[in-house]
Amino acid sequence: MLRYIVNRLLIVVPLLLALTVLLFLYVHAVPGDPIAGMLGPNGTPELVAQIRADRGLDRPLLEQYWSWLSGLVTGDLGVSLISGQDITPIVIARIPATLQLTFAGLFFVILIGFPAGYLAGKHKGGWLDRILSPAALIGLSMPAFWVGTLLILVLGVQLRWFPTGGYVAFEDNAWQSLRLTLMPALVLGITLSPFLARMVRASTAELAHEPFIVQARTRGLLPGTISRRYLLRNAILPVVIVIGMQLGTLIGGQVIVEQLFNWPGVARLLIEGAVRRDYLLVQSLIFVIAVIYIVINLLTEVVHASLDPRVRL
Amino acid sequence: MASVPSMVPGRTPGLRVRVLPTGGARRITLHAIVHHRRAFLGAILTAIVLLIGVVGAFWTPYDPMTFNAGPAFSPPDLAHPIGTDVYGRDILSRVMAGAQVSLLVSAGAVGGSLVAGTIIGLLAGYLGGFVDVLLTRVVDIMLAIPGLVLALGIVTLLSPSALSVTVALIAVYTWQFARIVRSSVVAVRHRPYVEAAKGLGSSGVSIVFRDIFPSVLPVLIVQVATAFAWGILDEASIGFLGLGVQPPSPSWGSLLIEGRQYLYDAPWLPIGAGAVVVIAVLGVNLLGDGLRDIVDPRSGGTRS
């Protein structure tokens, strides 16, 4: 097990390093002068030069890369192109909101996706499957902004059950915080659970023909016992894999949902940076998001490997 | 990716490249599509959406850019089936006119990434060795950035326009194509018929395109359908975030920003424009799903 983890880590480190090179080149691939572009008609050459020097963009490329990289290692993400503020504290302030939404979203993804996939797979071809499978395909085709808009209009505007957007920290007002989390998390659940449902369905349906299930059946075990003891346990495996696989989509969904519900998270910061063309902020945020993505992927792989010893081979 | 373990799994859980006993996957024929319920339904929906795009390029019920085609914020009625917006523009006309932009962006993104990804995948898979390791690593890095985040990053570099969105999406989709092509090539590279062609003195280019490429084709077609659905969704998403095609020129993405601004005054705008996106994506998804089933009947569709 330890060897497996070390092996995976050995792949991650060069991957991250290459990613920093790519992202560094990204900022320098900006056509024209990003600072002149940012300042527009107000940008006198002196002002441009002053900001350039202030943000450290006038140093040799290698030196710039080195200082960015050594900053990253110590957790310093550099400064914003526009405001000149340190990025790290801004990002850290946004992390609790983002995590709250991510976990609430994952909760709904599993709550909807797992039972639906398991039941459809267990009774493959049955009436439930014939309702759930097309429903999953429709769910897969619905953009998060559309589902979110519908929920806002119905639950927020018509019925007035939930606020239409905003964020309150959990420790400030737990009840209001949960009320505000529900709709955006539900959007993530509705739009992302079909992936999980389809995977769980396929693997559960395949399980029915596995020798150990057939053997359990011939031993005369009750269907309920077989389900509990063998089917359910094995059906949980793909959940871990799908969470790793669909993480990119979850992050993409989160970008949309944070924007739609005015959720002050990291993803919304990325959009704010993109709209204002703050390349340095966007660069650092892409790095942070990619690191989170890679780390969670690594974790799901390790969990998967600990659940299923075959993977370690 | 057999030799080099990949870090990040692909975006499509259903689409894992499987080596079929014949060396290539089953062929996609018109007959197979017509006789596959989902594929057929998807093909019809896709055809309708494409037709809307073509018709919308030449004719719309009202001029999509003209103000006061009707009263502002008029709810759906016979004259304006999806209502009108803040300037009294007919939304159906705008959805029809926007279809071409969205479909062209998506088609451009798929076409570009198909070509780039196929070239990368063929090179990596056929040449092997150092080239393979290098290209595989690049693919891994690119897939380590969530798709929409990468697209946003690239759109930020360029000015917000249909072309920028296309370029950004090519940069996102290419790697998935490359990965699929590479693993298919690796799977068939040492098959007897490829070795035979080599023995007969065929050139490398000829082997790649005449002997290896045809066996990759069916899997690629499925991926094209999947990516086309992503393209429509992503163009709309980037537009919704305000970084794609800018209003007033209509695209499904730009219509959605306007929809968000006037959510309370004209809810039919986001609902209607969004519903068209859903139908388009659903059609392409159905088609892709059906094609996957036809190519690889064991992939676990409802029919098997």
Side-chain angles (χ1 to χ4, degrees), chain B residues 17 95 214:
Chain B
V17 179
V95 168

Side-chain angles (χ1 to χ4, degrees), chain A residues 60-88:
Chain A
L61 279 187
L62 260 175
E63 197 188 312
Q64 283 188 47
Y65 173 70
W66 182 247
S67 85
W68 187 58
L69 183 67
S70 44
L72 288 183
V73 174
T74 57
D76 175 8
L77 294 169
V79 292
S80 149
L81 179 69
I82 291 179
S83 67
Q85 286 173 309
D86 278 334
I87 295 174
T88 310

Side-chain angles (χ1 to χ4, degrees), chain B residues 34-91:
Chain B
V34 172
H35 287 271
H36 190 286
R37 216 184 333 153
R38 263 173 304 148
F40 189 54
L41 186 63
I44 289 178
L45 278 180
T46 309
I48 292 174
V49 170
L50 291 180
L51 195 70
I52 291 176
V54 173
V55 171
F58 300 102
W59 176 85
T60 49
Y62 299 86
D63 185 282
M65 303 296 276
T66 304
F67 288 4
N68 302 320
F73 294 139
S74 151
D77 56 27
L78 280 177
H80 305 282
I82 328 182
T84 61
D85 66 7
V86 58
Y87 302 116
R89 291 176 297 196
D90 179 51
I91 295 171

